[in-house]
Structure formats: C-alpha cells, structure tokens
Amino acid sequence: MSQWIEACAATDIEREDVMRSDHDGQPFAIYHSPDGKFYSTDGLFTHEKVHLADGLVMDHIIECPKHNGRFDYRNGAAKGAPACVNLKTYAAKVESGKVMIEVG
C-alpha cells in the first residue's frame, strides 16, 4: 500500500539541486528542477550504493559522485556508464510548502 510522506520543506532545496531524505531506513533523493518541479528517486546510485545527494545536478540529470554515471531524475533512465540499471522513481508533490513523496 502506498502512502505520501513528508520529505522536506520546498524551500530546503534550491533549483537544480538535490538533497537526501530518509524514511524507515530507506534513503531517497529529492530534486528541484530548473522549471520549479520536484522529483524523487531511490537515494543510492545503482552501481555501488553511493548516495546521489552527494552528486552533481545539471538540468534534469544527476551525476554520481563516485563514477560519474548519470540518470535523468524525472524518469530514472540511466544515461551514462557505469549506470546501466534505471533508478526507481517516486511521485512528488508540494502541499502547504512541504515536498511530499509517494512511497510504499
């Protein structure tokens, strides 16, 4: 069963940036896109379990801080080696100034 959880305040993340949010021991990455929308993915890089919040955001791409693999955080698509497994994505929305993500 899915549920919406509070990840952070919308003002906590600058545009074109990422931050970490944990829920029940699971890390998530929360993104604020250049057009003001919010997105969420699994928090760990699929290759070696490095946290994506330490990576570099460029437009709609997150780059792993360890091996420079890239993903489109809007749909989780792997965009560059060594990333070959897509990231799981989660629906995100803003309610009362809080970024909410759908988990479950």
Side-chain angles (χ1 to χ4, degrees):
M1 173 181 278
S2 67
Q3 66 176 352
W4 288 91
I5 61 164
E6 181 181 322
C8 61
T11 56
D12 287 346
I13 311 172
E14 297 291 327
R15 286 190 185 205
E16 288 194 84
D17 206 358
V18 59
M19 73 173 293
R20 179 178 180 157
S21 180
D22 294 285
H23 176 71
D24 284 343
Q26 181 179 353
F28 297 92
I30 313 299
Y31 308 88
H32 193 174
S33 71
D35 58 2
K37 295 179 183 176
F38 289 88
Y39 297 87
S40 180
T41 67
D42 278 339
L44 300 177
F45 179 58
T46 58
H47 179 62
E48 282 206 15
K49 307 301 181 205
V50 174
H51 205 286
L52 290 168
D54 296 329
L56 176 64
V57 176
M58 299 164 290
D59 196 26
H60 293 104
I61 301 294
I62 178 70
E63 183 176 271
C64 174
K66 189 168 185 179
H67 294 115
N68 301 340
R70 295 174 306 283
F71 299 92
D72 184 326
Y73 60 74
R74 297 171 295 181
N75 58 23
K79 294 292 187 180
C84 57
V85 175
N86 294 342
L87 283 173
K88 183 173 181 179
T89 60
Y90 303 88
K93 64 182 178 181
V94 177
E95 283 186 356
S96 302
K98 304 290 185 187
V99 178
M100 309 291 290
I101 60 173
E102 187 176 25
V103 299

